[in-house]
Amino acid sequence: MKRTVARILRIAAELLVIAAAVTAVVTGMIYAWEAPYFDHPHRGENAWRNFVKASVVLSSLGAVAAGVLWLAWRHRAALDTQPDAPARFLAVAVATLPEVRRDWGVAMMAELSSITDSSARWRFAASSARAALFPPAEGRRPATGRFGAAVAVLGVIACVTATGYLSLVYPGTLEVTSALVIAALVVFLAACLSLALIAPPALTSSVMARRAGLFLGIGSGLGLLLFSRTDAVEMGAMTFIVPAQFLIFVIAPIIALGTTIGTNLGDAVSWVLIVVPGLMIPLGILGAALAIVVVRGAGQALRRTSSDAAAAGNAGSDRTSGS
Amino acid sequence: MAVIQALAEEPDVWRYGYDLCQQLDLKAGSMYPILMRLADRGMLETTWATEGEPGRPPRHLYRLTGTGLAFATKLAAAADRPGAAAAPSSATSTTVRGPRLAGAHP
């Protein structure tokens, strides 16, 4: 009974920490997004309201998704059967190993069980965790595969090009975005690119996870394209941030859980996290850019047509009144 | 290379990973990737201990295969070659890893 209560309390504490971390990250990102509008004379009130609403909704979704993912991960790592903190630490890392390396993870855990000194156990667990997270690659190909690497590189180049184009053609699109958001975007892009090119090789062995990641990446890219053609025009190229949060914090863990059956959880999560941003960001930004160009162009053409018609009408009435 | 030499000292004896770490003063984070690579290249044989302490999982054991032992022999021969000891360690490492080694010992 005592053991069960202690277990529940430990899981609750872990979930609390995860929820707090997710809330801090999500709220920080939304704050950075909304901050430029807070002092706006007309939009200030709405900006605060949007900030609170988006923070509550996305933080809750993200916290729930991360919590579910952590429960699946700790089940896979059999955390409740581990004797102490070093063993739990190593078990979490070993759970990321793919099928072909699974025996090595079991071997590391078994070696740890033979070490009795506490500090030696920590040293061995920490060092072995590094080997479990970054085991040697089996081939020389990019960890994402050649197709994934090419898509990621082209996508990021397209993203940077489209953003640069937008900032030149429509300076107002980006000027409302804070420097913090732009810096975060740059870091995010660099991280996506590095993940796509030099992802931990241990996390790329599952064909099923690869397919899931590709499917989700393409689907999310198309979704963002549609999204950008509806209400994203006003927000500009940065509009992908909110759906990106939704995809990363909500859909990715769900897909990861789905692909856990018969494959490696680490594979699924990493592939979703690698492929989704790799495809989603460039497609999302390109979609937003296209939508802005098309809608604004159509709007200008419409205005020109109506003003021409009005001018023609005025001219006609002037002629009529003049005669 | 030190791992291969350590395993070649008693080629018939199965060794534990942690014991190898202690013998060579290597961290597990360095030792296990080396062992994985050796196993990938068919130089290392692995098995699970059948006898262990009760309540503890069986440990993984390692020893060199015939290929690994042959490589260790070539490695030792290359190290014994005149002038090999005076060569920089990086050059020695390159020599023993590359195909030049096989050519040097027909």
Side-chain angles (χ1 to χ4, degrees):
Chain A
M1 183 65 184
K2 267 186 184 175
R3 196 175 286 178
T4 309
V5 172
R7 177 173 173 264
I8 291 171
L9 287 176
R10 193 166 57 234
I11 294 174
E14 289 166 2
L15 291 177
L16 207 61
V17 170
I18 288 170
V22 169
T23 303
V25 170
V26 173
T27 306
M29 288 174 74
I30 298 172
Y31 180 85
W33 165 250
E34 291 287 349
Y37 300 107
F38 286 157
D39 296 329
H40 196 280
H42 303 299
R43 301 173 68 173
E45 195 181 335
N46 278 341
W48 276 108
R49 202 177 298 146
N50 289 342
F51 168 67
V52 172
K53 276 195 292 188
S55 297
V56 169
V57 171
L58 289 175
S59 295
S60 309
L61 288 172
V64 169
V68 171
L69 184 60
W70 173 248
L71 288 178
W73 201 292
R74 79 187 312 285
H75 173 71
R76 181 181 182 80
L79 284 192
D80 292 326
T81 62
Q82 305 303 338
D84 58 3
R88 284 194 287 274
F89 178 76
L90 182 56
V92 169
V94 158
T96 65
L97 281 166
E99 287 292 338
V100 288
R101 300 284 193 208
R102 196 67 52 80
D103 279 359
W104 292 97
V106 178
M108 291 174 200
M109 293 299 297
E111 287 302 293
L112 182 65
S113 74
S114 72
I115 304 170
T116 50
D117 179 63
S118 175
S119 59
R121 283 178 67 78
W122 266 117
R123 279 197 302 275
F124 184 86
S127 191
S128 296
R130 178 163 62 89
L133 291 171
F134 304 101
E138 288 186 89
R140 292 279 178 192
R141 289 185 309 157
T144 45
R146 289 193 182 89
F147 174 74
V151 166
V153 172
L154 289 175
V156 172
I157 290 171
C159 168
V160 172
T161 308
T163 308
Y165 170 78
L166 276 173
S167 62
L168 286 175
V169 178
Y170 304 108
T173 306
L174 295 178
E175 70 185 12
V176 293
T177 304
S178 71
L180 188 62
V181 172
I182 292 175
L185 176 66
V186 170
V187 171
F188 192 46
L189 279 175
C192 291
L193 187 61
S194 63
L195 266 177
L197 294 177
I198 50 170
L203 306 180
T204 59
S205 65
S206 166
V207 174
M208 194 189 291
R210 224 179 260 211
R211 286 175 185 159
L214 275 173
F215 176 77
L216 185 59
I218 293 167
S220 60
L222 292 174
L224 275 167
L225 191 64
L226 289 173
F227 181 81
S228 69
R229 291 183 67 85
T230 54
D231 61 349
V233 178
E234 188 187 334
M235 294 166 70
M238 298 298 169
T239 193
F240 69 90
I241 287 179
V242 172
Q245 286 172 345
F246 177 76
L247 286 163
I248 289 171
F249 289 124
V250 181
I251 295 181
I254 291 169
I255 293 289
L257 287 175
T259 51
T260 303
I261 304 163
T263 186
N264 182 354
L265 182 62
D267 274 339
V269 174
S270 65
W271 268 99
V272 167
L273 292 183
I274 289 166
V275 178
V276 168
L279 290 174
M280 180 182 66
I281 292 175
L283 286 179
I285 288 189
L286 281 176
L290 282 174
I292 288 168
V293 171
V294 168
V295 172
R296 287 195 179 177
Q300 283 169 358
L302 200 65
R303 276 196 297 275
R304 268 201 305 272
T305 309
S306 57
S307 60
D308 287 350
N314 287 339
S317 60
D318 287 348
R319 273 199 302 274
T320 311
S321 59
S323 65
Chain B
M1 294 310 112
V3 177
I4 291 183
Q5 285 166 346
L7 287 164
E9 284 171 7
E10 293 177 281
D12 292 334
V13 176
W14 290 96
R15 306 289 304 273
Y16 292 119
Y18 186 59
D19 292 348
L20 283 168
C21 290
Q22 287 186 313
Q23 182 189 336
L24 299 171
D25 196 21
L26 263 181
K27 288 183 177 176
S30 303
M31 175 63 73
Y32 278 103
I34 292 171
L35 294 175
M36 289 180 204
R37 284 196 187 95
L38 289 175
D40 289 346
R41 292 171 191 178
M43 292 187 188
L44 192 73
E45 195 178 351
T46 65
T47 189
W48 294 98
T50 49
E51 296 171 5
E53 292 180 44
R56 286 187 177 163
R59 295 169 70 183
H60 218 199
L61 294 160
Y62 314 101
R63 73 178 182 189
L64 290 177
T65 61
T67 312
L69 202 53
F71 186 74
T73 309
K74 288 176 182 176
L75 198 67
D80 290 342
R81 234 177 11 191
S89 59
S90 60
T92 308
S93 149
T94 308
T95 305
V96 295
R97 234 187 287 156
R100 285 162 58 197
L101 179 69
H105 299 273

